[in-house]
Amino acid sequence: GISEIIVNRNDNVFIEKDGELLRMDLKFSDLELEDFCQLIAKHNRKEFSPNVPVLDGNLPDGSRVNFIHRDYTGTCHGITIR
């Protein structure tokens, strides 16, 4: 029933479930978000860095991902998974 996951900040995480946006009580470290983004960038054979600050790709299960580098969000990497 989850159709989207949104990470706006390390401690600002939402899921969309059955059409309702729910805030989750989660907190990720900068390192966890960086490692996740780099793992998915590698899976997609793409670069994700300040020089290439936006990544559109897929997870192994086919879900779509979009990353925006922390240098452009002002906080942490912005992550959306659909």
Side-chain angles (χ1 to χ4, degrees):
I2 296 174
S3 58
E4 188 166 12
I5 300 169
I6 305 162
V7 180
N8 292 320
R9 287 192 325 258
N10 298 49
D11 62 349
N12 191 340
V13 180
F14 292 86
I15 64 168
E16 183 178 329
K17 183 175 181 182
D18 300 324
E20 186 177 354
L21 200 58
L22 306 168
R23 185 169 184 167
M24 304 304 295
D25 187 23
L26 298 171
K27 183 169 182 169
F28 297 104
S29 71
D30 287 337
L31 181 59
E32 288 172 317
L33 294 178
E34 179 68 26
D35 287 349
F36 174 72
C37 290
Q38 293 305 323
L39 179 68
I40 300 308
K42 184 177 179 179
H43 170 75
N44 284 273
R45 295 184 175 98
K46 294 184 176 183
E47 179 183 353
F48 180 65
S49 69
N51 294 331
V52 184
V54 176
L55 181 139
D56 289 309
N58 296 297
L59 296 178
D61 71 355
S63 299
R64 294 177 295 136
V65 296
N66 175 266
F67 302 151
I68 301 175
H69 199 275
R70 68 176 160 260
D71 287 0
Y72 293 86
T73 66
T75 57
C76 71
H77 297 323
I79 299 172
T80 305
I81 303 171
R82 294 183 194 110

